[in-house]
Amino acid sequence: MGESVRIEIEGKTYELPLIIGSEGEKAIDINELRKKTGLITYDPGFGNTGSCKSAITFMDGEKGILRYRGIPIEELAEYSTFKETAYLLINGRLPNRAELNQFSVLLNDHSLVHEDMQLFYQNFPRASHPMGILSSMVNATRSFYPELQTAEEEINITVTRLLAKVRTMAAMSYKISRGHKVVYPRSDLAYCANFLNMMFDSPVKPYVIDEDVVRALEVFWILHADHEQNCSTSAVRVVGSGKVNLYAAISAGIAALWGPLHGGANQAVIEMLTDVHASGYKVSRLIERAKEKQDPFRMMGFGHRVYKTYDPRAKIIKGMCHKLLNKLHMKDPLLDLAMELEEIAMRDDFFKENNLYPNVDFYSGIVLRAIGFPSNMFTVLFAIGRLPGWIAQWKESLDDPDWRLSRPRQIYIGSVLNHYVPVDKRK
Ligand code: CMC
């Protein structure tokens, strides 16, 4: 018998099991709560709810720790590649040389997108947001490449297809939105360089691959690759729990990521800074607005549900921002504004009391702008980065012995029994 806790409800004592994670995190197992007590729990936003057991990512929001499969994010950002990190998340360990080569071959083999899918792109209105397009295209992929979902080997093919094709689809959406010719993937280029080439190569101006730019994108993607049970990952797990196909579950994840409180914050930060820059508005005014109770404005790129200290990803990306701009001999006035804003916020009592620190989205847009991405592609880049995490979490849920269809309960606060009134008798 493991550890348990006792709770007292209306004079009766109940014993509930205690679950202890590998890092010592404790949770009360309330599986039997309703059966034993007739009560349910109420937790809007699920801030106190563990929805699953997971061996993928560890976060300590108080200490600012993030690890994938036990490896600190700082080490992965320094030494790993996105491809290798994706393998690590999905398969549970780093690949050896032969496995990595085999993974590269598969990603290359599956990188083309069915030519008929180009017709879909042509028919989206030009002003469509690329996140809406990407979510639709990933869902549509199921019709072109029926899912293989029984043996481990078959699942791996579906997973590799997604990893390879989502990158191609994202670049296609950009090219088509600009009315430019689609650039096909190249077998001689590695994952990140291949994507950059599909985005920026053109018949009139061949794209020159710069290793510093490739590394910056590589690190951006590594930092975004997983973040345990965040909004979009939970969407993938919840939608996947109905046993829908993987493409549909990932499409739901992309839709969830789009929101400005989640992945869409990277675009919102740049728009906020651009507005300030263009209007000559003082940065301190933004701080004041963030504090005003009546004002719905939130400081984009600040705050996090789990981190109550500096987001470790933001630290890395901030350093990378300076490094990349220096290497490219670029100056971005938005970086100066962002640093001024951070400095004032870090001294402000409201920000201190609410533990509002810059999150991963605060500086990432400046890196992406320097590479040449338009701001409406920022969240698409986040989605490509998060894809291995979504896949790993979906795969983990397939093998979870505690798996159940996701179906929360509610506290009903509507009318009590109320009878139907024929239309002519209504007031
Ligand atoms: N600006 C101003 N006030 C804020 C902010 C902010 N960015 N974030 C939180 N607060 C205030 C909030 O108003 C509340 O104050 P009060 O208690 O007086 O009502 C207090 O801080 C606690 O906030 P909360 O809403 O309970 O915190 P949460 O855990 O629900 O919200 C968040 C987390 C990320 C939604 C929120 O911090 C936010 O809206 N941030 C801006 C959007 C953003 O940058 N999102 C990216 C998150 S990181 C990338 C990712 O994982 O997707």
Side-chain angles (χ1 to χ4, degrees):
M1 184 74 180
E3 284 187 52
S4 61
V5 286
R6 281 159 193 255
I7 55 166
E8 196 184 298
I9 302 169
E10 291 165 350
K12 268 185 91 176
T13 304
Y14 301 91
E15 195 155 324
L16 295 171
L18 201 63
I19 302 177
I20 306 178
S22 50
E23 288 283 346
E25 203 170 26
K26 292 184 177 174
I28 304 170
D29 178 349
I30 58 164
N31 247 303
E32 302 271 304
L33 183 72
R34 187 167 176 276
K35 204 156 102 188
K36 286 185 175 168
T37 68
L39 300 181
I40 60 167
T41 56
Y42 178 61
D43 186 20
F46 311 122
N48 303 285
T49 298
S51 60
C52 59
K53 291 180 195 154
S54 179
I56 302 170
T57 288
F58 172 69
M59 282 173 78
D60 182 326
E62 270 67 39
K63 295 192 185 133
I65 293 174
L66 174 62
R67 298 181 198 139
Y68 300 158
R69 303 285 185 186
I71 305 178
I73 193 66
E74 293 77 9
E75 288 178 25
L76 291 166
E78 182 78 32
Y79 306 114
S80 187
T81 61
F82 177 61
K83 192 163 56 188
E84 189 182 57
T85 300
Y87 188 102
L88 167 75
L89 285 167
I90 296 168
N91 298 294
R93 58 173 177 79
L94 288 167
N96 62 31
R97 174 72 57 202
E99 287 164 336
L100 192 58
N101 289 344
Q102 172 65 5
F103 190 42
S104 303
V105 170
L106 279 176
L107 285 172
N108 182 46
D109 287 354
H110 289 287
S111 60
L112 283 171
V113 169
H114 198 293
E115 287 289 312
D116 288 353
M117 288 187 91
Q118 281 204 31
L119 292 173
F120 294 174
Y121 282 105
Q122 306 289 357
N123 291 312
F124 277 103
R126 279 281 183 263
S128 305
H129 195 285
M131 280 299 273
I133 300 180
L134 189 66
S135 173
S136 315
M137 296 304 277
V138 169
N139 213 344
T141 309
R142 169 68 156 74
S143 314
F144 289 84
Y145 306 94
E147 190 186 35
L148 305 165
Q149 207 199 86
T150 43
E152 177 77 17
E153 200 184 324
E154 292 189 337
I155 292 177
N156 286 342
I157 294 175
T158 307
V159 162
T160 320
R161 252 188 203 143
L162 253 177
L163 286 169
K165 292 190 200 307
V166 164
R167 176 194 53 168
T168 311
M169 284 178 196
M172 276 169 85
S173 70
Y174 171 68
K175 283 293 187 193
I176 293 171
S177 74
R178 303 202 65 195
H180 289 177
K181 199 170 165 293
V182 164
V183 176
Y184 286 94
R186 271 172 41 186
S187 62
D188 60 323
L189 294 177
Y191 194 90
C192 285
N194 213 345
F195 175 70
L196 286 165
N197 190 63
M198 284 190 270
M199 281 287 302
F200 300 121
D201 188 52
S202 105
V204 290
K205 197 168 181 221
Y207 184 64
V208 181
I209 289 166
D210 176 325
E211 284 315 316
D212 293 320
V213 169
V214 173
R215 188 63 205 159
L217 181 61
E218 194 97 70
V219 173
F220 170 89
W221 276 342
I222 292 170
L223 297 180
H224 287 77
D226 195 49
H227 217 217
E228 51 121 299
Q229 308 313 316
N230 57 84
C231 173
S232 55
T233 302
S234 299
V236 170
R237 280 198 183 243
V238 169
V239 172
S241 82
K243 297 291 176 205
V244 73
N245 64 81
L246 175 61
Y247 301 112
I250 298 295
S251 164
I254 296 171
L257 187 74
W258 191 359
L261 295 190
H262 190 16
N266 57 11
Q267 180 179 343
V269 169
I270 286 297
E271 286 168 355
M272 178 181 84
L273 295 174
T274 307
D275 271 0
V276 174
H277 183 60
S279 60
Y281 204 91
K282 289 251 178 303
V283 153
S284 53
R285 177 73 195 114
L286 286 186
I287 307 269
E288 291 315 312
R289 282 196 65 192
K291 292 175 358 184
E292 271 165 32
K293 275 264 178 235
Q294 307 332 319
D295 192 336
F297 171 79
R298 282 197 166 201
M299 187 71 79
M300 287 296 141
F302 269 76
H304 196 274
R305 173 62 60 79
V306 180
Y307 293 125
K308 297 304 161 206
T309 181
Y310 214 101
D311 180 337
R313 305 166 301 171
K315 254 185 222 162
I316 298 171
I317 223 152
K318 183 179 174 185
M320 203 171 76
C321 227
H322 291 287
K323 213 163 121 188
L324 185 69
L325 291 187
N326 276 342
K327 287 227 168 119
L328 299 178
H329 306 293
M330 280 171 113
K331 197 157 164 40
D332 188 341
L334 300 195
L335 177 58
D336 298 333
L337 273 182
M339 289 197 308
E340 188 189 341
L341 205 156
E342 181 189 338
E343 206 191 304
I344 304 178
M346 291 298 86
R347 281 188 267 116
D348 190 279
D349 286 344
F350 172 85
F351 282 75
K352 283 189 205 159
E353 279 155 23
N354 287 293
N355 299 314
L356 299 176
Y357 295 87
N359 59 47
V360 70
D361 294 315
F362 192 61
Y363 286 102
S364 66
I366 294 167
V367 170
L368 300 178
R369 250 162 77 91
I371 299 178
F373 292 108
S375 59
N376 70 351
M377 284 295 287
F378 290 1
T379 316
V380 167
L381 292 158
F382 190 152
I384 302 174
R386 184 57 52 87
L387 190 56
W390 288 332
I391 293 172
Q393 302 268 352
W394 170 84
K395 253 186 114 190
E396 188 176 65
S397 75
L398 287 187
D399 303 328
D400 186 350
D402 291 341
W403 172 89
R404 287 183 86 194
L405 172 73
S406 292
R407 204 303 184 187
R409 288 184 174 263
Q410 63 166 15
I411 317 287
Y412 177 67
I413 55 162
S415 308
V416 291
L417 184 62
N418 186 17
H419 293 288
Y420 180 79
V421 180
V423 68
D424 295 332
K425 296 203 171 158
R426 290 176 211 157
K427 278 191 229 151

